Amino acid sequence: MSWQTYVDDHLMCEIESHHLTAAAIVGQDGSVWAQSASFPQFKPAEITNIINDFNEPGTLAPIGLFLGSTKYMVIQGEPGAVIRGKKGSGGITVKKTNQALIFGIYDEPMTPGQCNMVVERLGDYLIDQGL
Amino acid sequence: MYGGDEVSAIVLDLGSYTCKAGYAGEDAPKAVFPSVVGSIYQAGATDEVKHEKDSDSMYDSENADKTKTRKLERLLIDPKEHPMLLAEPSFNTPQQREKAAELMFESYKVPALFLAKNAVLTSFASGRATSLVVDSGGGSTTIAAVHDGYVLQKAVSTSPIGGEFLTDCMMKSLESKGVMIKPRYSFKRKEIRPGEFQTVDLDIPNTTESYKLYSQRAVASDIKESVCRVPDTAFEESAYANVPMTPYELPDGQTIEIGADRFKIPDVLFNPSLVQTIPGMESFAGSASVSGLPQMVIESINRCDADIKRELFSSILLAGGTASMLQLKERLEKELMEEAPQAARVKVLASGNSIERRFSVWIGGSILASLGSFQQLWFSKAEYEEHGVSNIQRKCP
């Protein structure tokens, strides 16, 4: 199963007739394993900031979560495992697995809860597989 | 997904001082009662009164169970038929949320559940998606920043100084002045001549210390609510030494005069170290680390993203029973304007109606649960059974 299939079938899938606007699986070193068509271009420094926040929760909150040209407000996540961000009516969920980061970007009408379910479920599966 | 729009949801707000419950869509909770559990031990047949102060025990112990059952009984509903919206403290830990979800699904068999943070609900009740919520209730004061309907991480701070604490200060202060507060059950007033009453002391055996304390607190609470006012500037003993005394009639007919305490007690909210000057309260160890209300507000805003700081300063919401204290809004606004950065415009908002301030969390829940767009957010029993309780963290961020 290639990484691209994971993104296309499991992240960009339809959940309750909605789907994410963009998704990606990125290694913790910044290399893209797979991404959806509309996933924004990001800078390596942004990935480093995200990893830092997973290691020391709370560093991103005052500055904000940046990805590409978009800034997300950090809301309640799960320290060390999930970072959730909000921007207007949409937002982002980042789940950390053993070797990668799974990104899910959503917008209306999808709800934060649905995005969380999709991203975190795949993350849990990958963690079980050792990835 | 749970799409029940014919059946109205139940909104439950288990506070540390009172519990509020009612139907979504209404403008006030139908059942409001103290969060107190009275347990009767079979052996000694005495009444013990326990106040569930800590929100930890609210969800953990069987007492929480009893409180919830009592509330559901009072509303005369069957939990199996109504989706439940539970208001939770903004600093609730994941373990507590999971416990609450388990309790709801396993014991009460609700068809669907949603956990909403208190600060978010207060924000909705005032019609704003972004605000800084100052919730001063019975057990504690919590400050949380809400942006677009979600609590910002790291911007939540709590202080143990709440209504109950101020009531304790009032009681200790009166005790030190030699005033004996007689609990309501311990006397009877007989009319010996038209218009004149004589107090007869009743001796009721088998009442425990905790029940006596509870009844005395109820009286002290009433004193606090009727005579206390937040002073316009920081309290100083010398300045208020000659303030005119206000009379207050106790239930047993005694009239007491309250002078400087009227202003000193509410000022504890702004200056916790004042508590050291109240005889009997010196043992309050936490006062060194607890900050006053304005400091906590500034701290909370500083921990937020720079972009929204300005918006937060101009929408500070007051909620909770203690927030109904006279002049609190004006004093807080004044203190914040002095401490806030120059460019910021400070505005403290509070609903004029004190009922709305006390129940703003519940009212927000009522609004949220009746929104059409909310119906898809419910965490249903089917999802709970399929995916387990940890999904509550994902569905209710």
Side-chain angles (χ1 to χ4, degrees):
Chain A
M1 180 99 122
S2 75
W3 291 114
Q4 195 59 46
T5 329
Y6 272 117
V7 171
D8 296 333
D9 294 343
H10 296 276
L11 287 179
M12 298 299 289
C13 62
E14 213 175 82
I15 175 169
E16 288 161 15
S17 74
H18 305 308
H19 47 87
L20 298 175
T21 50
I25 305 181
V26 177
Q28 292 187 11
D29 52 358
S31 57
V32 179
W33 294 6
Q35 65 183 27
S36 72
S38 49
F39 195 77
Q41 278 280 76
F42 56 84
K43 304 185 199 72
E46 293 164 357
I47 302 292
T48 324
N49 281 339
I50 294 176
I51 306 266
N52 282 345
D53 189 83
F54 276 124
N55 294 333
E56 270 184 48
T59 48
L60 271 186
I63 331 163
L65 170 64
F66 284 91
L67 196 73
S69 50
T70 342
K71 179 179 175 182
Y72 298 91
M73 298 286 173
V74 181
I75 58 175
Q76 193 72 19
E78 281 165 45
V82 185
I83 296 179
R84 300 188 186 119
K86 209 146 197 305
K87 183 181 171 58
S89 52
I92 184 172
T93 306
V94 187
K95 169 101 181 164
K96 177 174 182 244
T97 66
N98 295 327
Q99 299 171 21
L101 300 171
I102 307 184
F103 289 82
I105 301 180
Y106 67 93
D107 210 340
E108 266 197 322
M110 193 164 191
T111 65
Q114 287 164 341
C115 174
N116 292 338
M117 297 279 281
V118 172
V119 172
E120 295 177 35
R121 252 201 312 217
L122 182 64
D124 286 341
Y125 172 73
L126 289 181
I127 293 177
D128 276 343
Q129 304 290 310
L131 299 159
Chain B
M1 182 154 114
Y2 182 79
D5 34 28
E6 278 89 39
V7 176
S8 64
I10 302 278
V11 180
L12 219 61
D13 178 15
L14 294 172
S16 45
Y17 186 62
T18 45
C19 289
K20 283 82 72 183
Y23 293 97
E26 300 195 350
D27 54 3
K30 272 217 158 61
V32 177
F33 53 89
S35 308
V36 174
V37 173
S39 36
I40 303 173
Y41 296 109
Q42 292 301 78
T46 49
D47 270 309
E48 280 286 0
V49 166
K50 256 194 304 192
H51 232 253
E52 294 301 347
K53 266 212 175 75
D54 199 345
S55 49
D56 236 343
S57 49
M58 265 267 89
Y59 288 118
D60 281 351
S61 69
E62 49 176 78
N63 289 326
D65 217 355
K66 287 190 203 138
T67 319
K68 284 193 180 122
T69 317
R70 167 99 198 280
K71 187 194 316 269
L72 295 175
E73 280 165 14
R74 263 184 79 150
L75 279 182
L76 297 173
I77 54 133
D78 183 4
K80 287 202 265 303
E81 295 165 19
H82 299 265
M84 199 86 61
L85 174 66
L86 271 186
E88 54 168 11
S90 306
F91 48 83
N92 223 17
T93 65
Q95 291 84 352
Q96 286 164 335
R97 307 180 89 202
E98 291 189 9
K99 250 221 150 96
E102 259 174 39
L103 185 71
M104 284 279 121
F105 282 119
E106 302 290 337
S107 325
Y108 295 104
K109 311 214 187 329
V110 294
L113 178 71
F114 192 80
L115 298 176
K117 298 198 157 45
N118 286 348
V120 174
L121 296 180
T122 303
S123 210
F124 283 164
S126 74
R128 280 152 200 274
T130 302
S131 62
L132 185 78
V133 175
V134 177
D135 192 337
S136 198
S140 61
T141 300
T142 306
I143 303 198
V146 177
H147 174 75
D148 258 352
Y150 290 93
V151 174
L152 293 180
Q153 194 194 42
K154 295 284 158 198
V156 180
S157 41
T158 27
S159 139
I161 299 183
E164 283 292 282
F165 185 76
L166 297 182
T167 304
D168 275 346
C169 289
M170 175 62 88
M171 264 181 57
K172 291 273 172 0
S173 187
L174 289 176
E175 262 173 38
S176 72
K177 295 200 167 71
V179 176
M180 256 303 290
I181 300 181
K182 291 212 196 102
R184 194 67 193 79
Y185 61 78
S186 72
F187 60 87
K188 193 168 64 176
R189 294 186 74 184
K190 244 176 20 185
E191 191 168 358
I192 42 177
R193 277 181 286 275
E196 249 185 69
F197 291 91
Q198 190 189 40
T199 313
V200 173
D201 277 336
L202 297 172
D203 185 25
I204 307 195
N206 292 338
T207 49
T208 56
E209 260 312 300
S210 60
Y211 188 66
K212 179 163 179 226
L213 199 62
Y214 174 68
S215 314
Q216 283 177 323
R217 274 225 179 95
V219 178
S221 216
D222 190 57
I223 300 177
K224 174 191 76 172
E225 284 162 30
S226 21
V227 308
C228 281
R229 264 187 52 147
V230 178
D232 297 324
T233 51
F235 180 83
E236 270 162 58
E237 289 286 358
S238 47
Y240 285 90
N242 294 324
V243 75
M245 311 273 234
T246 313
Y248 178 86
E249 190 185 339
L250 290 174
D252 60 357
Q254 267 188 79
T255 310
I256 52 173
E257 303 260 307
I258 309 179
D261 278 344
R262 274 183 74 194
F263 301 99
K264 184 155 147 186
I265 309 256
D267 205 43
V268 171
L269 282 170
F270 289 84
N271 184 4
S273 56
L274 256 188
V275 114
Q276 305 286 0
T277 60
I278 298 177
M281 298 287 305
E282 294 95 345
S283 54
F284 179 58
S287 68
S289 54
V290 171
S291 340
L293 213 50
Q295 286 79 18
M296 275 173 63
V297 170
I298 305 267
E299 250 176 59
S300 201
I301 297 189
N302 281 340
R303 279 189 245 142
C304 294
D305 209 297
D307 292 348
I308 54 169
K309 279 188 195 168
R310 175 162 292 180
E311 208 183 334
L312 289 178
F313 266 118
S314 57
S315 25
I316 300 178
L317 296 178
L318 279 182
T322 310
S324 314
M325 198 158 278
L326 293 167
Q327 297 295 95
L328 181 74
K329 170 172 169 262
E330 286 79 5
R331 171 77 185 279
L332 186 62
E333 219 170 48
K334 178 170 161 290
E335 295 264 329
L336 284 177
M337 282 207 260
E338 285 170 18
E339 311 232 357
Q342 289 306 83
R345 190 180 66 110
V346 174
K347 189 96 187 67
V348 176
L349 305 140
S351 138
N353 189 340
S354 71
I355 301 273
E356 274 179 32
R357 269 189 232 187
R358 268 187 75 192
F359 300 140
S360 55
V361 171
W362 189 91
I363 293 173
S366 180
I367 296 174
L368 184 64
S370 35
L371 286 180
S373 50
F374 178 71
Q375 301 311 321
Q376 54 177 321
L377 297 181
W378 290 109
F379 183 50
S380 69
K381 194 165 202 302
E383 282 175 328
Y384 168 74
E385 278 160 10
E386 198 188 319
H387 297 129
V389 75
S390 51
N391 259 15
I392 193 84
Q393 316 285 8
R394 298 171 187 173
K395 279 231 112 184
C396 310

